[in-house]
Amino acid sequence: MIAVCRDLTDYPRAIEWIEATDRYCRRESVSGFPGACRSHRAEIAAVNGSWQRAEQELERATEELGRFGVSPLVADGYYGLGEVRRLRGDLAAADDALRQAHALGHSPHPALALVRLAQGRVEAATTAIRSAVEEAAQDPVMSARLLLAAVEIELAAGERARARRALEAYGELVVAFPSAAREASLHVATGRVLLADGDASTAAAELRS
């Protein structure tokens, strides 16, 4: 349930479920599945900007989950770890974590494509994100993540028409699967495109929204 809330970017509800689970485990003296719970808490911490704490928690989570040999959960943890390290600017460590996630069956994108962009490897980033968007065409949750990154990457590549198409596709998903976080991201992405088009005043209004 927490993972679904996360995927739908319903972060307030995800936090409610995390807190409810913690209360239940304390009341019943149940240790639960510490790695998975820790991983979820860390991802929410990252959304709130607590990147260092999130990285520490995800490192512990992947270690705990690795002892159980549950590959999908370990892969999810490594992906989250790669994303947090990317945000912190530790690109080499982010690359390593995302490769481990990929080896365990988790797509490394959009985080790895964004790592390539941050490394200045724009062509590699565009190739990766385009391929990933095409592969995830039937998966609205994954498509939402990828399309948002595609806007940023295509603009960096000077492909404004492609960026606008990605923005339009993302906007359709936001209408179909709305959340406050997605609506905010749509404003940011729209602001990016408008700024690239030279319309700074309208871009500023979108970004303030």
Side-chain angles (χ1 to χ4, degrees):
M1 183 63 180
I2 295 167
V4 169
C5 291
R6 174 205 61 195
D7 289 344
L8 295 175
T9 66
D10 189 347
Y11 299 121
R13 189 170 298 181
I15 292 169
E16 289 176 3
W17 276 98
I18 289 169
E19 292 174 347
T21 304
D22 285 344
R23 286 195 301 270
Y24 171 81
C25 289
R26 287 196 301 270
R27 186 175 69 245
E28 302 296 330
S29 299
V30 175
S31 61
F33 200 179
C37 295
R38 194 183 307 283
S39 181
H40 290 313
R41 283 196 297 269
E43 288 180 87
I44 298 302
V47 170
N48 288 329
S50 301
W51 295 342
Q52 183 174 355
R53 180 162 64 89
E55 182 176 6
Q56 292 169 347
E57 287 290 285
L58 283 163
E59 287 172 348
R60 290 182 63 187
T62 51
E63 180 183 344
E64 290 169 349
L65 290 166
R67 292 198 292 267
F68 290 93
V70 186
S71 295
L73 292 174
V74 180
D76 211 28
Y78 273 120
Y79 182 85
L81 185 57
E83 177 68 358
V84 170
R85 286 173 173 173
R86 178 186 73 81
L87 292 168
R88 297 193 71 195
D90 191 349
L91 301 182
D95 195 307
D96 180 64
L98 293 167
R99 287 181 183 277
Q100 291 186 71
H102 194 203
L104 292 168
H106 193 296
S107 170
H109 302 300
L112 187 57
L114 290 167
V115 167
R116 295 288 173 264
L117 181 64
Q119 291 170 332
R121 298 169 60 184
V122 179
E123 185 176 349
T126 54
T127 299
I129 200 67
R130 289 172 189 174
S131 176
V133 167
E134 185 176 347
E135 290 175 6
Q138 304 304 313
D139 183 343
V141 170
M142 191 63 188
S143 290
R145 296 178 185 175
L146 293 165
L147 289 166
L148 196 58
V151 174
E152 181 178 354
I153 292 169
E154 296 291 3
L155 287 175
E159 297 284 353
R160 285 188 291 168
R162 283 181 175 270
R164 188 170 288 283
R165 286 197 295 272
L167 176 64
E168 290 170 356
Y170 182 67
E172 291 173 3
L173 288 174
V174 173
V175 171
F177 304 97
S179 76
R182 282 189 178 151
E183 288 168 8
S185 297
L186 180 59
H187 284 299
V188 172
T190 302
R192 287 181 185 272
V193 171
L194 289 167
L195 192 59
D197 287 339
D199 189 350
S201 61
T202 310
E206 287 288 342
L207 294 168
R208 289 191 187 98
S209 297

